[in-house]
Amino acid sequence: MPPITNDWAEKLQDEYKKDYYRELFRFVSYEYSHNTVYPPGDDIFNAFHLTPLSKLKCVIIGQDPYHEPNQAHGLSFSVKPGVDIPPSLMNIYKELSTDLGCYIPNNGYLVKWAEQGVLLLNAVLTVRAHQAASHQGKGWENFTDAVIQIIDKVDRPIVFLLWGSFARSKKKMLTNPKHLILEAPHPSPLSVYRGFYGCKHFSKANEFLKENGLDPIDWQIENI
């Protein structure tokens, strides 16, 4: 696992010393040595590399990386260029179109969001190929919960977009009144009509940022 070298490094240094992280490191190293694991090892911490804590404006919490070839690259909901847009992300794009008038692009590559301060954080950062949830319960949840708690303590306004019951379960860790917490059902085809469509989270996030003197996020992903 490549080290995180930007301003996250100091905040996370205590986690690396904990027993759970040592066990997690051993587990992940073994998995990459003996199985096909996604995302590629160099991409595991892309969410942190692309979104320094100092530039963070918004957090979108996912659960697991995609587990089929050439999809996962370290950002929740995002896929590499040239890969079919997954159903949940297509539904996100449809809500963006209704909410902000964004056109639906021909790709699911969300690096533009990450570079503007949107932390696309999966709770679990690795997965064995073709085996959904295969790396749950191995320690990643401890690590990413620590990340969420670090963000909660940041003394400036940040938006949390919690979609689905898993992401919403993280709300109990969010106690800072400066932050905005927006909740909705998951954008998956199974639940998108239960309230994700019409939630207007993207315009609400931008309104909150502007009210607090911050630049809004340009949510439009361009065609490649």
Side-chain angles (χ1 to χ4, degrees):
M1 296 189 285
I4 300 171
T5 57
N6 59 15
D7 59 2
W8 282 107
E10 180 182 356
K11 296 291 186 180
L12 291 169
Q13 61 182 347
D14 289 343
E15 296 305 304
Y16 303 140
K17 302 171 186 175
K18 294 180 180 178
D19 289 343
Y20 87 82
Y21 193 87
R22 295 190 185 99
E23 290 297 319
L24 172 64
F25 187 90
R26 282 193 286 268
F27 169 78
V28 171
S29 298
Y30 179 89
E31 284 286 286
Y32 274 92
S33 298
H34 292 80
N35 299 289
T36 300
V37 176
Y38 301 127
D42 287 345
D43 290 345
I44 293 173
F45 292 126
N46 270 352
F48 302 93
H49 298 321
L50 291 168
T51 311
L53 182 60
S54 59
K55 296 183 178 179
L56 181 61
K57 295 179 179 178
C58 179
V59 182
I60 299 178
I61 299 174
Q63 192 161 2
D64 281 278
Y66 298 117
H67 55 268
E68 296 302 325
N70 301 314
Q71 292 183 309
H73 64 107
L75 304 179
S76 63
F77 292 100
S78 181
V79 292
K80 294 178 181 179
V83 177
D84 289 344
I85 300 170
S88 291
L89 181 54
M90 181 60 74
N91 290 335
I92 290 169
Y93 284 162
K94 289 177 181 177
E95 174 60 21
L96 267 171
S97 178
T98 302
D99 188 12
L100 291 174
C102 296
Y103 67 82
I104 296 176
N106 63 2
N107 67 93
Y109 193 54
L110 304 182
V111 166
K112 177 182 176 180
W113 292 0
E115 290 177 337
Q116 293 182 84
V118 181
L119 184 69
L120 297 165
L121 180 68
N122 277 321
V124 176
L125 299 186
T126 56
V127 67
R128 192 182 295 182
H130 318 302
Q131 297 184 37
S134 51
H135 285 185
Q136 288 184 9
K138 303 298 183 180
W140 279 128
E141 295 93 339
N142 302 65
F143 181 76
T144 53
D145 280 357
V147 170
I148 292 168
Q149 291 169 320
I150 288 167
I151 298 168
D152 186 56
K153 295 175 183 175
V154 172
D155 190 30
R156 67 174 190 278
I158 293 171
V159 184
F160 289 84
L161 304 185
L162 306 182
W163 299 333
S165 58
F166 177 81
R168 294 167 90 167
S169 73
K170 306 298 181 180
K171 183 180 179 180
K172 61 182 179 292
M173 293 187 284
L174 305 176
T175 60
N176 189 333
K178 289 194 173 184
H179 302 329
L180 175 66
I181 302 168
L182 297 174
E183 301 178 69
H186 196 275
S188 76
L190 294 173
S191 57
V192 69
Y193 288 101
R194 297 175 188 164
F196 182 80
Y197 284 158
C199 69
K200 299 187 179 298
H201 278 188
F202 304 101
S203 60
K204 290 176 181 177
N206 278 353
E207 288 166 7
F208 175 78
L209 293 171
K210 288 188 286 186
E211 286 169 2
N212 285 280
L214 300 169
D215 291 333
I217 295 158
D218 178 4
W219 293 103
Q220 178 68 68
I221 298 295
E222 286 82 12
N223 286 334
I224 294 177

